Structures are given as structure tokens and as C-alpha cells.
Amino acid sequence: MAHDSDDLYVIKAPKTLYEMTSAEVAAALVHTKTVLIPVGATEDHGAHLPLGTDLFEAREICRRTAVALEALHCPVVIGPTIPFGVSTFHMGFPGTVTLTSSTLILVLKEVMHSLYHHGFRNLLLVHGHDGNLPQMMVAAQDVVNETPDSTVVVMNWMVELAKAYAKGDMLRSKKGESHGGEGETARILVTHPELVDLSKAQEFYLQPHELRKIQSPEHMKTGGGLFYPTRSYAALTPVGSIGNPALALAETGEKGYDAIVQWLTMVIQRDFFGLEG
Ligand SMILES: [Zn+2]
């Protein structure tokens, strides 16, 4: 995608909390008590992707979901993107910024309490980095304990995306891919093509017994029953990514976003607007 300017990327409407004025938030609260909170990370994704990949994805998922819900007359506000997460296992790569688990839990709780203070009652946490899921769940439970009339939900779209991948016609990869691989690279190609350098993409695959602990139907993040905490990505993959990112196409990223957003939209419409999706 070519732009005439020297923009690194383009931010599309609707506004998130960062771009709104306080008066605009007050006006939105007349129509909705529901806020989507993108929970990102700043971490290595290989030489071909920016460190902000996960926060860009989380924001875009929430943006597309808000647009889809608006079309269904279910207005929501997009909250502030949390730029940092628990990325301890990517610290072997320069530029990665990590919070400890307890800090992320506190950040999420204080963001949710702030939004609750202003009148939001449905607080929906949407990750861009599945490594944050345990902390998101703890923070969600704590906020429910601490507020009398909130509804907090952690929305893990990875399960739906894995189902879409399993149908077999979305990814060009024939071998197991994961972090920074074809699928994730494709999604960043959709929104931040100027920040993707496929000439630097490196093909790297894990042994099946290693991949199973990171990315498989057995992993909790994709609906399974196993969770192996990751110690070090640098020890797993010298290039930081897993799979063949050079296979990524923007159209694949669009399909991935469609699968994710369809599920989020269905659940939010059903559970927060009293409509069976
Ligand atoms: Zn990522």
C-alpha cells in the first residue's frame, strides 16, 4: 500500500478513548455502558514485524468489532490500548518491554476501575498477546469482586481463529506456524504494511513436541487443557518468529480478522445487548 505522505501508518475511525475528548466520552456514555479494552504488548516478533505488533492487533480487533456492532445498533466505546504486557519470555530480544504479572494485573484493574468510575459497567478485555490471558482473568475476577454492578469478560478469540485455520484454506503454511508467523504477519500487513519487511522474514520451525507446548489444540489458549509457561523464546527460536512469515498476504489477514470479529460481535451482541446472535 503506497501513501503519498511519509506516514508510517494510518489510524482509522472510530476514535478510541485516546482520541476522544472528555465531553465525547460523556456523550457516548448516554448510549452505552460497554467498553472494549485492547490489551497489547511491546515485544519482538522477528526481524520483519514491529515490536508493537500485538498492541496494533488488539486495537484493530476492537476497532473492527466496534464498527460491526455499530452497524447492528449496539454502540460500544473503544478504551485505551494497553501497550505493555507480560513479555518476560521475549526479553532475549532487544526492545521488548515487559511488566511483571502483578503489575499488569494492577494496571488492568486500575484502568477498569477508572472506566467504571465514569459509568462504564461492561468491561470487555480483548488481548493482542495471549501471554496476558492469565493476568486478564485475575484482574477480571478482582474487579467483579470489588464492584457491585460490573460485568467483566475476557475475550480470547484465539479459539475461533484456530478453528478457522483448521478448516485448512486460510493459511498457505503447510507446517506449524505461530508467533510472528504467516497469520500474524498477514494481520499486520492489513493495517501497517509500511512496518512489515518481508525481505527480512526468516523461516523457522519448531520440532513438533516443542510446537505442541506453544501452539496446538491442546494448549489452553486455543481451547485445550494444557498450559506450559514459556521460559525463553530466544532459546526456542533464534529468529524470534515461528513458521514462514514470507507466505503472508494482506487478504489472509483480512480473513483472520473476519473470523475473530464475527465471534466477538456475536458474543457482545448476545451477552451485552440482549440479542441472540
Ligand atoms: Zn503477537
Side-chain angles (χ1 to χ4, degrees):
M1 190 189 295
H3 296 289
D4 291 334
S5 68
D6 54 3
D7 295 340
L8 284 176
Y9 54 92
V10 175
I11 303 233
K12 287 190 179 174
K15 294 176 181 176
T16 75
L17 199 85
Y18 288 136
E19 290 98 21
M20 297 166 83
T21 64
S22 178
E24 286 174 328
V25 173
L29 275 161
V30 173
H31 301 289
T32 188
K33 303 288 180 236
T34 301
V35 59
L36 311 185
I37 304 170
V39 185
T42 300
E43 67 179 34
D44 176 68
H45 278 78
H48 60 294
L49 285 178
L51 293 160
T53 288
D54 291 346
L55 70 94
F56 296 149
E57 275 181 270
R59 180 189 164 120
E60 181 65 5
I61 289 167
C62 290
R63 188 189 75 76
R64 288 175 179 239
T65 301
V67 169
L69 285 165
E70 185 69 37
L72 297 166
H73 310 290
C74 303
V76 298
V77 168
I78 307 168
T81 300
I82 312 298
F84 306 123
V86 175
S87 300
T88 45
F89 39 96
H90 294 283
M91 286 298 281
F93 296 96
T96 298
V97 173
T98 190
L99 303 180
T100 56
S101 286
S102 54
T103 304
L104 178 60
I105 291 167
L106 266 183
V107 168
L108 292 173
K109 286 175 63 174
E110 295 192 17
V111 168
M112 285 193 277
H113 277 295
S114 297
L115 295 168
Y116 179 90
H117 171 85
H118 298 302
F120 291 103
R121 290 295 176 268
N122 305 321
L123 307 156
L124 283 48
L125 298 174
V126 179
H127 72 83
H129 168 56
D130 56 72
N132 292 339
L133 283 167
Q135 294 75 24
M136 292 163 71
M137 290 166 68
V138 171
Q141 182 65 59
D142 281 358
V143 169
V144 164
N145 295 346
E146 293 158 0
T147 56
D149 58 349
S150 64
T151 302
V152 187
V153 61
V154 176
M155 309 195 76
N156 176 20
W157 44 264
M158 296 278 294
V159 179
E160 291 304 309
L161 184 65
K163 281 188 209 164
Y165 283 173
K167 288 179 188 159
D169 55 358
M170 194 188 295
L171 295 180
R172 299 164 78 196
S173 300
K174 299 297 171 231
K175 292 159 91 176
E177 64 97 59
S178 181
H179 181 81
E182 179 192 350
E184 189 163 33
T185 301
R187 291 193 292 282
I188 300 303
L189 276 176
V190 172
T191 51
H192 297 68
E194 294 86 347
L195 300 186
V196 181
D197 186 351
L198 289 182
S199 74
K200 295 204 169 70
Q202 290 177 272
E203 192 171 3
F204 181 84
Y205 295 100
L206 293 179
Q207 293 298 314
H209 71 277
E210 293 172 321
L211 182 67
R212 196 166 58 238
K213 295 176 183 174
I214 299 280
Q215 187 94 35
S216 78
E218 289 186 47
H219 197 290
M220 266 184 204
K221 71 183 180 187
T222 41
L226 294 179
F227 173 62
Y228 286 94
T230 306
R231 190 178 308 279
S232 166
Y233 249 74
L236 275 176
T237 163
V239 302
S241 55
I242 298 166
N244 185 2
L247 295 173
L249 302 170
E251 66 179 82
T252 307
E254 288 283 355
K255 289 177 193 165
Y257 276 127
D258 284 349
I260 294 164
V261 169
Q262 272 174 27
W263 177 73
L264 286 167
T265 304
M266 180 278 290
V267 172
I268 296 167
Q269 185 186 25
R270 183 194 66 195
D271 292 354
F272 295 93
F273 292 89
L275 303 166
E276 289 302 319

